[in-house]
Amino acid sequence: GQNIDQPTEMTATEGAIVQINCTYQTSGFNGLFWYQQHAGEAPTFLSYNVLDGLEEKGRFSSFLSRSKGYSYLLLKELQMKDSASYLCAVSNSNYQLIWGAGTKLIIKP
Amino acid sequence: IAGITQAPTSQILAAGRRMTLRCTQDMRHNAMYWYRQDLGLGLRLIHYSNTAGTTGKGEVPDGYSVSRANTDDFPLTLASAVPSQTSVYFCASSDSIQGGVNVLTFGAGSRLTVL
């Protein structure tokens, strides 16, 4: 079967750094996405990785290792507004998106 | 503001009733999707459409139907609602369903409760 695993919930402190991991098993691979979803709102696109390595975008970075079926989202200089759920999704060989259940990130002052 | 509009925002309905969730986009995207989101589960694809006039079944299509008469509109119909269809429904769109970076734009969601 196809599945995406990510931690259910994480807690971090304002100003700190947090790493949210995602492991996947899919039939084929055409890229990995991270989306942010604030409570009661729609998911919004954060990042896309298709090649191994780190993609940096301001305070957010995303890493991919295709051989390990592993990705992480790194959030630096955490702000209260970063409290949200972070969704990992993989595009498989049919370009179908397989979604993880999301990681709820709680930021404490 | 360009984007996706969903209606209604929330709805409570009795089991057995028919319900249509509306979705309209103004970005001229070719592909559109309907997902449901349930606590503890990832987004699950119900139906999708590659382009106007075509539709396809996703992971959990049973009990739902869609139509795509034009580029902008992609309504989702529950012919006879059941309590297990209680969920938050998201409509989404993208430039294409294959190739390239298929970034989805989501609507604000429709919260449906079936009693």
Side-chain angles (χ1 to χ4, degrees), chain B residues 22-72:
Chain B
R22 300 183 298 278
C23 175
T24 300
Q25 56 110 352
D26 61 3
M27 297 173 285
R28 309 304 293 173
H29 282 171
N30 286 320
M32 296 189 74
Y33 317 81
W34 274 105
Y35 285 94
R36 60 178 290 174
Q37 187 175 44
D38 301 290
L39 197 63
L41 299 176
L43 288 163
R44 291 184 291 170
L45 183 64
I46 303 170
H47 285 287
Y48 65 92
S49 168
N50 290 350
T51 188
T54 68
T55 62
K57 293 182 179 180
E59 179 186 357
V60 289
D62 294 343
Y64 305 95
S65 64
V66 292
S67 62
R68 187 90 184 275
N70 56 61
T71 298
D72 299 341

Side-chain angles (χ1 to χ4, degrees), chain A residues 30 33 35 37 40-45 48 87 94-102, chain B residues 35 37 40-43 45 59 90 97-104 106-108 111:
Chain A
N30 278 304
F33 297 80
Y35 282 76
Q37 185 178 24
E41 297 183 9
T44 56
F45 171 75
Y48 171 75
L87 314 181
N94 296 322
Y95 294 94
Q96 177 190 12
L97 279 177
I98 310 301
W99 294 83
Chain B
Y35 285 94
Q37 187 175 44
L41 299 176
L43 288 163
L45 183 64
E59 179 186 357
F90 285 101
I97 202 166
Q98 288 188 357
V101 182
N102 192 23
V103 175
L104 269 60
F106 286 85
R111 181 174 296 274

